[in-house]
Amino acid sequence: MKLHELRPAEGSKAVPVRKGRGPGSGLGKTSGRGHKGQKARSGGGKGPYFEGGQTPLQRRLPKRGFTNIFKPKYVEINVCQLNERFEAGTVVTPEVLVESGLVKNVRDGVRILGNGEINKALTVKAQGFSKAAAEKIAAAGGQVEVI
């Protein structure tokens, strides 16, 4: 089989119906929508949440909870990612993480988590550390600094 011999599967490509192209087409004038009424209009019809006039579900359910839009959003990095990316003795800061491509946007800060292993002595400067991460970095001979 050659590239110029490729064809779509039989029946997979249907010719689109051209509505509103005169009485001879079978779908002229009203284009299959009938005369007047809600469904004949553009944008007519009921929305996906309409329940026949019954109070919709999203209005029947009680409002609960609260979303704190001012809560700081931290970028989370695991110690195994630091182990893979940096050489021993490197000072790892949020700016270095952005340069290395490990983090796209620092947001409100970087938090280091303890998933995985680390066996290189790194000096890590970040806005937060989990207990496990701080212990693993210290055990590998590195230093932890909260900015």
Side-chain angles (χ1 to χ4, degrees), residues 38 45-58:
Q38 187 178 24
K46 299 173 183 77
Y49 298 109
F50 186 72
E51 298 183 24
Q54 169 178 296
T55 306
L57 183 66
Q58 72 269 24

Side-chain angles (χ1 to χ4, degrees), residues 1 15 17 40 45 59 64 78 80 88 93 107-108 117-118 135 143:
M1 181 178 274
V15 178
V17 176
R59 285 185 53 206
R64 285 186 58 98
N78 284 305
C80 62
T93 62
R107 292 187 187 157
D108 293 326
E117 295 301 318
I118 184 166
E135 288 169 7
Q143 289 181 316

Side-chain angles (χ1 to χ4, degrees), residues 34-125:
H35 293 279
K36 297 187 183 175
Q38 187 178 24
K39 287 187 173 179
R41 319 280 187 213
S42 69
K46 299 173 183 77
Y49 298 109
F50 186 72
E51 298 183 24
Q54 169 178 296
T55 306
L57 183 66
Q58 72 269 24
R59 285 185 53 206
R60 289 196 306 255
L61 295 175
K63 286 199 257 179
R64 285 186 58 98
F66 166 77
T67 302
N68 183 4
I69 60 170
F70 302 105
K71 184 173 89 172
K73 293 181 179 81
Y74 293 110
V75 178
E76 295 170 344
I77 301 287
N78 284 305
V79 289
C80 62
Q81 292 172 288
L82 299 176
N83 195 44
E84 294 166 2
R85 196 62 66 105
F86 299 105
E87 297 299 318
T90 309
V91 177
V92 181
T93 62
E95 293 77 32
V96 173
L97 290 170
V98 171
E99 285 170 24
S100 70
L102 206 57
V103 172
K104 276 187 186 172
N105 182 2
V106 177
R107 292 187 187 157
D108 293 326
V110 177
R111 186 163 161 77
I112 310 296
L113 305 179
N115 192 13
E117 295 301 318
I118 184 166
N119 48 29
K120 296 175 184 171
L122 300 172
T123 303
V124 185
K125 298 179 180 182

